[in-house]
Amino acid sequence: MMVASEYGSKESLSIPVSAAKSLDLSEDQTTVIRPVHSSILGEKYCFQVINSENNHCFGCSSAAERDRWIEDLRRAAHPNKDNCERTEYSLSLWVNEAKDLPPKKRYYCEVHIDGTLFARTSNRAVGKSVQRSSQAADGGSGAAGTGHGGGSSGGCQLFWGEFFELDNLPPVNQITLHLFKDEDPKKKRHSKDDSILNPLGSVALNLAEIKGRAYQEKWYPIVPYKPPGTSVIKDQIGQQASIRVKSKFKILKILPIERYKEFAEYITVNYVDMCSSLEPLLNVREKEELAGALVHVLQSIGKAKEFLTDLGSAEVQRLGENEALIFRENTLATKAIDEYMKLVGQKYLIDTLGDFIARLYSGGESCEVDPQKCSASDLPINQRHLKETCADVVKRITDMHDSFPAELNEIFSRWLSDCEDRGQTDIGHRLISASLFLRFLCPAILSPSLFGLTQAYPEPNTLRTLTLTAKVIQNLANSTLFGEKEEYMFFMNEFLEQHWEPMRGFLQKVADPDSEIAMARFDGYVDLPLRLAVLHNLLVDIISVMKQDRIDNLHPLPLILNQITEFLGQEAQRIPVSSIHGKPKPTYLLPKDLPKYSPLQNSMQQLPMDSNSNQGKERQRKQVQRAFSVPNRPSRHQRQPIKRQTSKEELPTQCQDDNQDQDPCLEISSPSNAIKSKAPAAKVLWIKQNNSNEPYQKIGQAIEETSILDRHAQELAELRLGVEQVTERELEMAKRLEDFIVLTQDQNTQLQAEVQELRNLLATREEQLASATFRLGVIEEEREEDERKLNVAVAAVERMNVLEEQFAGLLKDVHQFYAVNADGIKNTYINT
């Protein structure tokens, strides 16, 4: 535990970690608790407690311990934190490089937020452009030295490649980068010039430009520093000096945790289906962000191990016999295992490789073994250095520390068990090796600054050592020897064969569920409301731009996300939802007056029975026959019998039904009136005349009664027909909708299968292209070698021709000499 009395001070005092418990945080509501970047105090895993009276910095042994302390202290200051609405501010910043700075100097940058120092880069010397990995050169996007005049083409003279993740920030108004020249500490202490403490220049980031999920990269011109109270600006860096910065600033509104309840339940139960539906629609960056958000949410609710187990098993099933591609593609499974191992394995990584990386950064021996890049006299020495370096790393890994994550042991054992059940034990071992070495240990060796092992980007000599070491360790984990592609590494094959057994034993131990080796469990803290808010915002951004049919296939996720969005305000982005899923399914509404006429109601009028007929016995009227156009459908309720009224009784003018809601019956005029208006019939002699009108009254009443009942029956039949037609149309539309949904799902499944086949074909073609490119490179090297030899041969031929000409000239001279001598001897002989 370390305490600093002033923010930014490097003076520390060791005290027990329990000292933080003595802080009284309940009284002061302005207390701020946040992490402190390691570049400020020179110590990792520090956090700061600021209130109106004190300002202390505390140091922990790991990131997980620091996060746990921060959360405990925040809950002490705000006990009801999870049930309150809050806003979080965070800044992700890559300070990549600078150009056109004065030479032969060393420089560093400081990150200031609203005038407060939050981080600083390491100091770097201006020089020639260095070879560096694309991952560090542009913050992981793989475009080093491209765009904005960067890279060697833009005259880059200084490279940092350092990443800063600043969370739990206060409300931000201004972000500024100050450029400083690194001076000798003795010169600083004895100098009377205060300007030596001032920055050379600064860069201000526009918050409006860098807000959002995506990084914004730009070359920013460095504005020379103007001392307060002066009107003259002393330019010490030149007008063309600039810094390349890649950044994003996020403002996240977090709701009370109860608002995310349904969302969390959906993620917990349906994460497999959600991932399988979304993965074909995502690009690489979205997969990385989604996998990271899901891992943190599921880790907090205790489902991360099941999530990783399911994704690993699905990866094996998807690839089939193409085991060489396991965890080599940009899939959700690959990105999720990357994020999870960084989360739970940080302490293990530091315990295993921390000292090794620190030793290399402090200035290790050269391990360059490529004959084209080192002298023949240095080659044996460098080969020995590389063997010693790799042996050190292998021993650190295989001598399993008690900090190995128990969560990874459980996941690996489940993977291996699933593969053994399928008869694919070898694939199970490759799955474990690929996840632990290909995705975790070897990338950490190759780029230690991206895994929290160090901050500074390595120097060229150190970077080359790390690259060669990572190659050897990866081949050792894969049980693969070096081939013709890297002939200069042939000498390491003997080393690989000697260490295969220890490596296999290590892989067996990490996947053994009954291992007796002590392992460590993750003891860090994950802020669940924060992570749910991050996941919600991410899914809304991803889904809202999709086509409507794809959004409908994700039902009910868009509705759940929109329910949360309603609490974020009107300006918050929403997902367009079709009416089928956005509103309740329409139901059939009965006509307003249908109950008055429905046979299901017991409101049918009961007519009195003739007192003189059948002496009180009831006689049921025959049911009115339906028209042929009305489908015959049996009634679910028995109709009430209708009683016929005799002609002796007068018809009532109003209904006698007890149902008060029914309309009164129509008034019916007496039949006798109509009969009286007719002319009297002619007399017939054989028929006895009867002046009584009683028979006519009986006949008229019977006819009128039958007419009314038939008319009502016809109306009921028409209503039934209308109801049945509406119902049939509704059922037909529902069936069509179901058929359309099934057809759409089948087409979507077919398209996903075709896309997957194309992806597999693309991966195969990429491998073939890589192989062809490698072969082309070898052929090109051979061609260059043959061309060189040919040039040597041509030069030798030309030299031979010159020598032959010279020799011919000499022969000619000799012959002339002999001829002259012969003539002289002849003349002498004659004279003699």
Side-chain angles (χ1 to χ4, degrees), residues 39 75 93 102-103 134 225 228 231 252 349 448-449 552 608 671 738 807 826:
S39 61
R75 290 193 179 279
L93 183 70
S134 60
Y225 176 74
S231 58
L252 185 63
L349 196 64
S449 60
D552 294 340
E738 292 176 358
F807 183 68
K826 184 178 178 181

Side-chain angles (χ1 to χ4, degrees), residues 373-391:
K373 299 180 180 179
C374 69
S375 63
S377 59
D378 293 336
L379 184 59
I381 300 175
N382 293 349
Q383 289 179 345
R384 177 171 55 84
H385 290 164
L386 181 59
K387 286 184 177 180
E388 293 174 352
T389 301
C390 293

Side-chain angles (χ1 to χ4, degrees), residues 472-522:
V472 174
I473 300 303
Q474 187 60 62
N475 279 25
L476 181 60
N478 293 340
S479 299
T480 304
L481 298 175
F482 287 101
E484 296 180 355
K485 182 179 179 181
E486 296 170 314
E487 293 183 0
Y488 62 89
M489 296 293 288
F490 276 170
F491 75 97
M492 290 298 297
N493 285 341
E494 181 182 358
F495 173 87
L496 295 175
E497 293 174 346
Q498 292 175 353
H499 291 82
W500 272 347
E501 289 305 320
M503 180 59 68
R504 288 168 182 163
F506 167 74
L507 291 175
Q508 290 176 356
K509 286 190 292 185
V510 298
D512 184 4
D514 301 323
S515 177
E516 298 180 354
I517 300 176
M519 299 184 185
R521 292 202 168 271
F522 176 70

Side-chain angles (χ1 to χ4, degrees), residues 485 764-778:
K485 182 179 179 181
T764 304
R765 293 293 183 265
E766 287 179 349
E767 288 188 349
Q768 294 175 354
L769 178 61
S771 177
T773 304
F774 168 70
R775 291 196 299 270
L776 182 61
V778 173

